[in-house]
Amino acid sequence: MPNPWTGKGNPYTKQEVVDRLQATLDQGKAIIAAGAGTGISAKFIEKGGADLIIIYNSGRFRMSGHGSTAGLMAYGDANAEAMDIGEFEVLPVVEEIPVICGVYGSDPRRRMWHHLLKVKEMGFSGVNNFPTHSIVDGHFRNVLEETGMGFDKEVEMIRIASEMDLFTIVYVAKPEEARQMAKAGANAIIAHVGTTVGGSVGVVDASCTMDDAMARTQEIIEAAREINPDIFFLAHGGPVNTPEDVRIVLDGTDAHGFVGASSLERMGVEKSLTDLTMQFKSLTINK
């Protein structure tokens, strides 16, 4: 049903978002979700036909010229940033596409059920677990897990959100994390294979190969399918950057689509602004 006060757009129920995504697949099209860190990004991502817009704090860093990984650092309040972008930039300009809010589920300062009520009241149609500790590894990951700020808090946040009738789309980096999220009721799982390559602040040596990215993506899909075969599966990150890259992943895995943040928002701005400025600078004057 449409928004009861405006007649269109957000918020959608969980089932309404699921139905929209299934309709995309039924048309033989890939699901495309896009991160938006500014209102103008969201406005034209919607115009381009994306299926979902996801807001997370890294979008603000990304559109300020910094690497998306800044969103994982203690450079601000991740939950407050996402709510701010949604309330004052994205939700006011989006007409019809479902908007998803990034939620830092392991934030120890918040009663997560209370924060999720605010997310829902704001008019978001769903949540995403970002920042996420799924992409943190090694000794520091062990410290986070042992001190009560582990991935299980993100899983619990998704469980609560699902009970609140919010659509849930989640990042995972390992098959076991995919199983956990599937059991918690996640509607869509994003196989996160690392920071996106390319552009001014993308990674190079920190990325994996395309073969590795596809293998890891498929392992995550198969693990979650053991729990719930009806989940939507999306690819993200690492060497999967361009439409051509996504085509390779869709052909080589069972993924239903792609989530692009840097790939859509940052790359689009970097190239278009550079090219347009160069065109202006090629102009000459009459003497």
Side-chain angles (χ1 to χ4, degrees):
M1 61 178 289
N3 181 302
W5 299 280
T6 67
K8 62 179 180 180
N10 293 272
Y12 293 98
T13 66
K14 175 168 58 178
Q15 189 60 50
E16 286 169 343
V17 179
V18 168
D19 290 345
R20 287 170 64 97
L21 297 185
Q22 186 59 51
T24 295
L25 296 182
D26 291 344
Q27 295 170 30
K29 298 179 180 178
I31 295 169
I32 302 298
T38 67
I40 196 167
S41 297
K43 189 173 186 176
F44 289 96
I45 285 169
E46 178 173 34
K47 189 174 181 179
D51 297 288
L52 297 174
I53 288 176
I54 307 176
I55 298 171
Y56 16 60
N57 70 322
S58 63
R60 180 150 282 171
F61 289 107
R62 179 166 55 244
M63 299 310 288
S64 296
H66 312 298
S68 298
T69 304
L72 292 170
M73 307 301 289
Y75 299 149
D77 185 335
N79 282 316
E81 290 281 5
M83 292 287 277
D84 187 73
I85 296 169
E87 180 175 12
F88 298 112
E89 296 195 46
V90 173
L91 288 169
V93 301
V94 167
E95 292 288 332
E96 193 264 345
I97 186 173
V99 180
I100 309 300
C101 184
V103 175
Y104 200 2
S106 62
D107 185 343
R109 305 163 305 160
R110 283 177 166 84
R111 296 165 294 162
M112 198 45 60
W113 63 268
H114 185 252
H115 180 66
L116 290 172
L117 285 174
K118 292 181 179 179
V119 169
K120 189 169 185 177
E121 182 183 38
M122 185 69 70
F124 287 101
S125 295
V127 298
N128 167 252
N129 63 323
F130 194 90
T132 175
H133 292 168
S134 69
I135 55 176
V136 179
D137 56 16
H139 176 73
F140 186 51
R141 173 67 179 272
N142 291 339
V143 171
L144 290 169
E145 298 290 343
E146 292 182 12
T147 55
M149 291 173 280
F151 185 73
D152 62 309
K153 293 295 180 66
E154 299 176 33
V155 175
E156 176 64 8
M157 181 272 289
I158 292 300
R159 185 192 67 77
I160 296 171
S162 184
E163 290 188 6
M164 290 182 176
D165 200 36
L166 286 161
F167 178 82
T168 53
I169 177 170
V170 301
Y171 284 118
V172 303
K174 300 175 183 177
E176 180 51 38
E177 294 168 349
R179 293 187 189 95
Q180 289 177 266
M181 284 298 193
K183 290 176 181 177
N187 302 112
I189 287 179
I190 310 163
H192 197 310
V193 298
T195 302
T196 304
V197 301
S200 62
V201 289
V203 300
V204 179
D205 296 333
S207 184
C208 61
T209 66
M210 181 62 80
D211 286 344
D212 185 41
M214 288 195 293
R216 287 162 60 185
T217 297
Q218 188 62 29
E219 288 172 1
I220 286 169
I221 292 172
E222 292 174 359
R225 271 186 178 160
E226 295 172 4
I227 310 300
N228 181 5
D230 296 325
I231 292 173
F232 299 105
F233 297 105
L234 307 173
H236 174 80
V240 189
N241 183 18
T242 66
E244 293 75 20
D245 297 331
V246 176
R247 176 74 271 157
I248 293 171
V249 174
L250 294 178
D251 289 342
T253 73
D254 294 331
H256 299 121
F258 172 68
V259 175
S262 294
S263 303
L264 275 157
E265 187 176 40
R266 176 170 62 82
M267 301 299 184
V269 170
E270 286 185 14
K271 178 170 174 52
S272 62
L273 285 180
T274 301
D275 290 351
L276 185 58
T277 303
M278 290 174 67
Q279 290 176 38
F280 276 113
K281 282 299 295 178
S282 69
L283 299 172
T284 59
I285 58 174
N286 296 320
K287 293 184 179 179

